[in-house]
Amino acid sequence: MIVAIDGPAGSGKGTVTKIIAEKMNLQYIDTGAMYRCVALKMLEEKVSLEEKEKIKQILDNIEIDLKGTAVFLNGKEVTKEIRSVEVSNFSSPVSTISFVREKMVELQRALANGKNIIMEGRDIGTVVFPNADVKIYLDATSEERAKRRVEQNEKNGLESNYNQILKDIIERDNRDMNREISPLRKADDAILVDTTSLSIDKVVEKISDIIYNQI
């Protein structure tokens, strides 16, 4: 079984998907973390967006492993590093590079092969698994998403500024929705869940009901 959860940054995809994965015994796959790994590796090696050949070399040698909620890049755990503001901002333009997306989609499909999975991202129901058994699109206002990101950063011991994060989220939405390759959009057959005024428990309950009713 494949459950596809799409939506913009801060809509609650990660938190909710992790809980449902454990609740329903599904393997959790965070595709955003995979793009963040590429961005982190590029930053570490000081590779710019224009250096296409160097980016391809990184992709040829990259190993990304997801173990529950832990993320490993070339054998090293980078779960916290990929959530920094610098990596967050850089991962969006990195994800617009066509051959990066092709490589990540290839890895995502390989990770899901023969398993019962719940995968979250921005193009899971439209590109990665257009025939997913269940498709859900999570959304929330940009203000609420910025508030959540500030709280998440504080929990992880990261400094953050609400106004800057709100600006970054609005800019990222614009990039993600208007990019030529796999733009962020709700699949025609996806069920929309607005999480703005819902608690995590309510969102989990709502999505769990949707999954149970569709399988």
Side-chain angles (χ1 to χ4, degrees):
M1 180 176 73
I2 296 174
V3 178
I5 309 284
D6 287 312
S11 57
K13 300 189 305 295
T15 301
V16 169
T17 305
K18 290 171 193 171
I19 295 171
I20 293 174
E22 186 172 346
K23 179 181 178 181
M24 302 187 71
N25 196 28
L26 300 171
Q27 180 165 336
Y28 167 64
I29 299 177
D30 176 3
T31 61
M34 299 172 74
Y35 287 100
R36 287 169 178 266
C37 282
V38 178
L40 176 61
K41 190 64 176 174
M42 288 174 62
L43 288 169
E44 287 178 344
E45 298 191 7
K46 296 181 171 55
V47 174
S48 71
L49 296 168
E50 290 72 36
E51 296 177 286
K52 307 300 184 187
E53 290 306 314
K54 288 186 178 180
I55 299 173
K56 288 178 180 177
Q57 288 175 13
I58 287 175
L59 294 175
D60 286 341
N61 297 292
I62 203 165
E63 290 183 12
I64 300 172
D65 196 8
L66 306 177
K67 298 178 180 178
T69 59
V71 182
F72 293 82
L73 172 60
N74 296 341
K76 175 189 174 185
E77 185 175 358
V78 293
T79 309
K80 186 174 181 179
E81 288 87 340
I82 63 170
R83 299 297 170 185
S84 72
V85 173
E86 185 180 20
V87 172
S88 295
N89 291 339
F90 194 47
S91 63
S92 182
V94 167
S95 71
T96 65
I97 301 172
S98 60
F99 58 82
V100 171
R101 296 204 72 84
E102 289 169 5
K103 178 68 174 181
M104 293 301 103
V105 169
E106 176 189 319
L107 292 178
Q108 289 154 17
R109 288 173 176 163
L111 284 171
N113 189 33
K115 300 170 185 171
N116 291 318
I117 63 107
I118 184 165
M119 184 177 288
E120 56 113 332
R122 287 172 175 74
D123 62 349
I124 312 307
T126 54
V127 175
V128 184
F129 289 110
N131 296 317
D133 299 283
V134 182
K135 296 182 188 179
I136 293 166
Y137 188 90
L138 291 188
D139 207 350
T141 64
S142 53
E143 291 80 9
E144 175 64 21
R145 290 185 281 132
K147 176 186 169 188
R148 291 173 183 171
R149 185 54 53 85
V150 169
E151 291 173 350
Q152 183 183 51
N153 286 348
E154 289 177 350
K155 184 178 179 181
N156 292 327
L158 301 171
E159 291 186 12
S160 56
N161 177 279
Y162 171 82
N163 290 329
Q164 183 59 49
I165 287 177
L166 177 60
K167 179 174 178 287
D168 291 342
I169 280 177
I170 292 171
E171 290 177 352
R172 179 158 192 175
D173 285 350
N174 185 57
R175 285 197 303 268
D176 288 347
M177 292 176 179
N178 293 292
R179 66 189 180 209
E180 291 184 19
I181 308 297
S182 303
L184 168 66
R185 66 177 180 83
K186 174 184 170 293
D188 293 337
D189 54 348
I191 297 172
L192 173 64
V193 176
D194 189 329
T195 70
T196 302
S197 58
L198 297 177
S199 67
I200 292 173
D201 288 344
K202 285 293 183 183
V203 177
V204 168
E205 180 183 341
K206 195 165 188 175
I207 293 176
S208 297
D209 287 343
I210 291 170
I211 295 172
Y212 282 125
N213 288 333
Q214 291 199 28
I215 59 174

